[in-house]
Amino acid sequence: MLLVVMSGLAVFGCAGIKSVPEGGSGVTIANGTLFLCPAITTQGGGFGCTAPSGGGKLVALATSGARLWEVPLETSGATGGMFGCTPAPKPVAIYGTPTVAGGLVYIGSYNGKIYAINSSLGALRWVYPRQDKLEPIIGGTTVVRGKLYFGCSDGKVYALDAETGDKEWEFQTGDKIWSTPVIDGDRLFIGSFDKKLYALSATDGSMKWEFEAEGAIAAAPLVYDDTVYIGSFDRHLYAVSASDGSLKWEFSAERWFWTKPVAYNNTIYAGCFDGKVYALNAKSGSKVAEFDLGSPVAAWPVIVDSSVIFASEEGKVYSLDTAANQVKQIANLEEKIYTPLCASNGVVYIYSEAQNLYALDAESGARLWSLPLTSK
Amino acid sequence: MIGEIWDLIILQPVINCLIGLSSYLFGSFGLAIIALTIVVNALMYRLTMKQVKASKGMQGLQPQMAELQKKYGKDKQRLAQEQMRMYKESGLSPAGCLLPMLVQMPVWIALFQAIMRLVAVIPENLLGLSKYLYSWSIIYTTLPLQNKFLWLDLAEGDLFLAILVGATMWLQQKMVTPTSADSRQQAQSRLMLWMMPMMFAFICLSFPSGLALYWVTSSIIRIAIQYLVTGWGALAPAATTKLSGRDKRLKRRIVLEGVSKKEVPVKADVGEPASSSEEVSDAEKSEEERPDAGESYPTRLEQIKPLPRRDKGYRYKGR
């Protein structure tokens, strides 16, 4: 009987389930160097579930795909296992796309640490917190005017001195934060699982206003023309006044919004889990067009010239012509895509769930190069 | 294909049901799991009752089993044949006791998958949740569910809850474990009594405590049902195992005269005859009427009627 139970749980129980966070960040480009944190590698663990076999790392690449350097990120310390055993060190999964500013690369990690690493040498400059750790950091970091901002699963928004890693202020929300903060002037905007969008003072962390949606918010906000656009789990995309937090309009879709929208020429382009990209009038919220990509859109889109590049979950890459409001498929990677897209000099960089980094020509979709990248 | 069917008829209902229940139960995922356990057990009530009664019947057959062991102990094949015949004639099936557990297995698996997806712990799992959701607006405003319940992180294993799972399973198992006169059977029963709870407790350390919460709640419900049907069973005070003079005489008669097989079962754990003298004669009568009468056993579950126990606190409500 026990064998039946065990095999049942092993065969069916773990199907499609991750028992350990694997991470895998988007790509950032600074001074001709690509930075990203590959997903950690996993192998078969107990009861058929996955178990980590490698830690996380930061990789620096030339735009040609040549590997410049890589830095392994420290694993969280052993904390005493059961039955006197020493537990395996936990891997450092990275979900947030690295941020580069002032010669440093900033990374928020699932093990609750912020790392600042020299962008040319790969040397570790500082870690926050120095002792102990925070709850998992899922969202990305933002660096503006010498301050580093990020949200944490402990529900707090933190501001650190970007140079030293000293904490400047923190702000407590009602639930986990997976959203990446956005700075506009002196205002910081961030969404929380407590269903609220917060506007804080970037200087001291005091709250300017809050807007309550009907569902949790994991998406990053977009600030465009004094309006904050943000998607929620409640299947709505909201347009909120950046000045006072009043609702301007809301748009309802069939499933939730996970990605950050982009704006171009007074139109908002938002990918949704219902497999569609909605083009909405930025002022009124009226639907200009919708494009069915056939599978959920979780990866942040990117603007290249007058086109918006989207990637669907199933690995198809589309170019949306904003002038003609037409979409065409430019590539099919046949690998799941969740991480934010990145573009520079007409090249789109995409890191897939299968742990491959692709460089595609933004116009034709031609594959310039691809590179398997794991944290082995 | 199988995966799609699984998602459609098991996983999706469990996921959406849990979200809906959470929404009505103060947003508490822990309470939703408990409520789901109650619903599942309510749906399986008839099956559970059948199992409880089957267990009770199995207890009643222990003396006959012991006799068969004595008689055919050396002839394994004959022993197995006789045992099967006894089960058949009594309307009992040893596998029947395991059926509710097997039926619940898909629920366990679905619950495990649901827990890992519903609590926002690993982003990949939450990302994959979207396709399982119904279009009810309540679903979208409730997500993601809180992984904290009392002291528990429902997505992580918990030592105390694992012990609780083991303890409740042991209690439940103990209530249905018959005390056999046969030492080999006794050893086997003891092994089962400890093996299952310990294994489940060990599993709980590796699995989300939300699943352990389901097992604990389920065990408590089954203990309650078991108590209502059979009383405390083997958990009753040890003093009750003392035989009365009448019981001793009956037992001696059963063993020496070999009439036990033709008569009625004796409740092995207390050494009591399982029916009154009138019922004994009924059994004898039916035996005489059988043309192939060699050995016979109570032919229906209804015939296995333990005597009301005289010990204090015993509440027998069975047939």
Side-chain angles (χ1 to χ4, degrees), chain A residues 195-239:
Chain A
K195 304 180 182 178
K196 288 177 182 169
L197 166 68
Y198 291 90
L200 309 176
S201 161
T203 311
D204 59 13
S206 59
M207 191 173 75
K208 289 183 180 292
W209 53 258
E210 63 179 34
F211 167 80
E212 185 157 7
E214 285 178 38
I217 298 172
L222 161 75
V223 184
Y224 177 73
D225 198 14
D226 202 40
T227 304
V228 186
Y229 300 90
I230 195 157
S232 164
F233 280 17
D234 63 14
R235 300 181 287 184
H236 285 87
L237 182 77
Y238 295 94

Side-chain angles (χ1 to χ4, degrees), chain B residues 119-140:
Chain B
V119 296
V121 175
I122 297 177
E124 292 94 325
N125 291 339
L126 190 61
L127 268 168
L129 175 66
S130 171
K131 64 180 175 187
Y132 298 103
L133 303 177
Y134 295 156
S135 57
W136 309 336
S137 60
I138 197 170
I139 301 286
Y140 291 87

Side-chain angles (χ1 to χ4, degrees), chain B residues 189-201:
Chain B
S189 299
R190 255 204 310 274
L191 185 73
M192 283 305 292
L193 176 65
W194 287 98
M195 188 79 159
M196 284 277 279
M198 282 180 74
M199 281 300 290
F200 267 87

Side-chain angles (χ1 to χ4, degrees), chain B residues 61-125:
Chain B
L61 288 178
Q62 284 309 305
Q64 281 89 339
M65 290 287 281
E67 287 303 307
L68 289 178
Q69 283 280 357
K70 269 186 196 168
K71 194 168 179 182
Y72 304 112
K74 287 174 185 169
D75 185 352
K76 297 284 177 198
Q77 200 180 351
R78 181 74 196 274
L79 176 66
Q81 278 173 353
E82 288 299 321
Q83 283 177 339
M84 286 313 294
R85 192 160 77 85
M86 185 177 71
Y87 286 137
K88 201 176 169 187
E89 289 181 0
S90 309
L92 295 173
S93 160
C97 300
L98 299 176
L99 199 58
M101 203 175 257
L102 284 173
V103 169
Q104 284 188 79
M105 265 199 63
V107 181
W108 296 349
I109 294 167
L111 189 61
F112 169 71
Q113 293 186 336
I115 290 165
M116 295 305 283
R117 286 197 164 95
L118 287 172
V119 296
V121 175
I122 297 177
E124 292 94 325
N125 291 339

